[in-house]
Amino acid sequence: MILDGIHYATGEGLRLHIRDGRIAGIESVESKPSWPYIAPGFVDVQVNGYGGQDFNDPELTVEKVRQVVLPMDRDGVTASCPTLTTHSFELMHHAIETIAQACDEDPEVARRVAGVHVEGPYLSEEDGPRGAHPRKHIRAPDWDEFQKWQEASGSRIAILTLAPEYDEVVPFIRQVVDSGVVVSIGHTAASPDQVKAAVDAGASMSTHLGNGAHGEIRRHPNYIWEQLADDRLVASLIVDGHHLPASVVKSFVRGKHPSRCVVVSDITGLGGMPPGRYQTQALGDVEVLDDGRLVVGGQRQFLAGAALPIHVAIANLIRFAAVSLDEAIQMASIRPSEIVGFPVTRLEVGCTANVIRFDLPDLATNEPITIRENVIAGERVYSQE
Ligand SMILES: [Zn+2]
């Protein structure tokens, strides 16, 4: 396979030769005005569901896992982390086991799964930080429980999001980090000292910084400043135009530095569903508003998750935070791969050919990039034509 395009970082014309699933050769060529950009595909480390199906489903099957994972090809996603949210031990165990089974049985699923993200249940029970995680299933960290899930996953759990304000959380974090899992701080009401203690114990990420938080907090100090200022934490950000105002995205990206930011979609199975109130297994009582926001049912302030895919973040990052296209791609592809230990695709000979071709929109609009083509392991899995 041969792919022509404009290099996302250098802006120069390039021809990729792809053989046996890998980039086998790269030529410098003169670009044509009609050519799209070419870049590594997106790696989304927080995907709760897609197209009407959530991973938190008591009747999750191998086929349903496939129904979530494969359709994201059209969004330029080449790998993602199925994300389980707070629920009973049994439901989460079933979902994790089923995702592992899908990876074992279906190579199409396996090559698109970069790891499993467990978000909860060891989160804050306060309204605001808790977001849409059901209060009755919120609980204190439990190593035995987490180990059972890790076993059921075939050691695929790559990220655990927790709130570090529990007693005994410091040794728990050390144990989880020592077992090779990234501990990410999120849905928390922790004091700055508790945040610092968690990072000292090995926590290395913040989950959707600025969301899963109180509507009103003390101006300073607080858990947002503390995480923003700590260079040992990479922040994941939801840059869909709804979850964070443009000024906050810019301040976070500048405060952390682009190299310490990744973008995630946090997309749920309600993505793309018509406005209305829904009772869901995964999120409980939620409402899809006319403007596409997904909120906790009965109010307008607390978002319950996202309904837009990760590719919308690229043009938004350039608009909101004035980053380069190169930096935006690093945040959506290369850094997330590194965090979860998934093989990184760069436009270099020998890398797995997980590449996309896309067009940038007019940046004066709020349109997203247009995905023209998605190639996973050297196979064209989506084409706009
Ligand atoms: Zn969350």
Side-chain angles (χ1 to χ4, degrees):
M1 183 190 295
I2 288 173
L3 293 177
D4 292 331
I6 298 166
H7 193 296
Y8 71 97
T10 66
E12 282 163 13
L14 135 134
R15 176 163 295 160
L16 292 188
H17 296 263
I18 293 171
R19 264 193 308 277
D20 301 328
R22 294 191 177 269
I23 299 173
I26 302 177
E27 280 178 79
S28 246
V29 289
E30 192 158 344
S31 64
K32 301 205 174 96
S34 64
W35 280 9
Y37 282 97
I38 189 161
F42 303 129
V43 177
D44 188 345
V45 300
Q46 196 165 357
V47 171
N48 305 286
Y50 193 87
Q53 178 63 51
D54 279 286
F55 290 116
N56 265 52
D57 174 348
E59 279 141 36
L60 191 70
T61 60
V62 166
E63 181 52 34
K64 286 177 177 175
V65 173
R66 191 181 160 90
Q67 280 169 24
V68 177
V69 173
L70 269 64
M72 291 188 288
D73 292 350
R74 73 172 77 102
D75 304 321
V77 175
T78 49
S80 63
C81 291
T83 301
L84 289 319
T85 50
T86 301
H87 215 285
S88 66
F89 167 78
E90 290 76 20
L91 186 142
M92 293 176 74
H93 189 275
H94 171 72
I96 290 166
E97 196 171 42
T98 307
I99 292 163
Q101 197 189 340
C103 291
D104 287 338
E105 291 175 6
D106 188 340
E108 291 295 318
V109 171
R111 63 189 185 183
R112 288 170 174 82
V113 170
V116 171
H117 182 163
V118 175
E119 188 191 26
Y122 319 132
L123 305 176
S124 167
E125 59 176 22
E126 291 184 29
D127 286 344
R130 190 167 52 80
H133 291 252
R135 187 195 299 272
K136 72 169 185 173
H137 292 300
I138 297 283
R139 49 196 183 267
D142 182 333
W143 173 251
D144 288 339
E145 178 177 66
F146 181 69
Q147 278 314 103
K148 283 179 190 148
W149 289 334
Q150 182 62 295
E151 216 168 284
S153 79
S155 296
R156 288 184 177 86
I157 298 176
I159 303 175
L160 173 66
T161 293
L162 57 71
E165 52 263 43
Y166 286 95
D167 295 340
E168 302 303 315
V169 78
V170 164
F172 178 79
I173 291 173
R174 277 208 195 98
Q175 225 168 350
V176 174
V177 170
D178 285 348
S179 74
V181 175
V182 171
V183 169
S184 190
I185 298 170
H187 291 276
T188 180
S191 69
D193 283 347
Q194 288 167 328
V195 170
K196 190 172 176 300
V199 184
D200 288 344
S204 58
M205 188 173 166
S206 299
T207 291
H208 50 54
L209 187 64
N211 295 111
H214 295 93
E216 290 176 14
I217 52 174
R218 183 175 172 179
R219 71 197 190 291
H220 51 69
N222 64 48
Y223 48 76
I224 295 179
W225 288 118
E226 195 63 31
Q227 292 179 74
L228 188 57
D230 199 320
D231 288 345
R232 296 171 293 175
L233 294 171
V234 169
S236 80
L237 307 174
I238 307 171
V239 190
D240 61 357
H242 294 311
H243 277 72
L244 297 170
S247 59
V248 174
V249 173
K250 183 173 183 176
S251 303
F252 281 3
V253 170
R254 293 272 174 96
K256 288 252 64 117
H257 191 267
S259 66
R260 283 187 284 273
C261 293
V262 300
V263 288
V264 293
S265 70
D266 200 13
I267 197 165
T268 68
L270 284 171
M273 301 293 272
R277 196 129 171 200
Y278 296 86
Q279 296 294 330
T280 71
Q281 275 291 341
L283 296 168
D285 178 14
V286 294
E287 191 170 353
V288 177
L289 304 180
D290 291 331
D291 63 6
R293 279 183 300 154
L294 176 60
V295 296
V296 177
Q299 52 85 59
R300 293 284 183 277
Q301 185 183 8
F302 296 120
L303 295 168
L308 296 171
I310 191 170
H311 76 275
V312 304
I314 297 298
N316 283 343
L317 278 169
I318 297 169
R319 286 181 194 111
F320 298 170
V323 300
S324 65
L325 178 59
D326 181 14
E327 288 168 319
I329 295 289
Q330 298 270 345
M331 284 186 246
S333 175
I334 292 169
R335 289 292 294 134
S337 296
E338 288 171 344
I339 287 169
V340 298
F342 189 71
V344 175
T345 289
R346 294 190 168 81
L347 298 186
E348 293 170 3
V349 171
C351 285
T352 303
N354 282 357
V355 294
I356 55 172
R357 299 203 304 157
F358 62 94
D359 296 310
L360 275 183
D362 175 353
L363 292 169
T365 68
N366 52 19
E367 292 299 309
I369 63 168
T370 305
I371 304 295
R372 281 212 211 174
E373 195 167 31
N374 187 352
V375 172
I376 297 183
E379 188 192 324
R380 188 176 284 106
V381 294
Y382 171 78
S383 171
Q384 197 187 22
E385 283 87 52

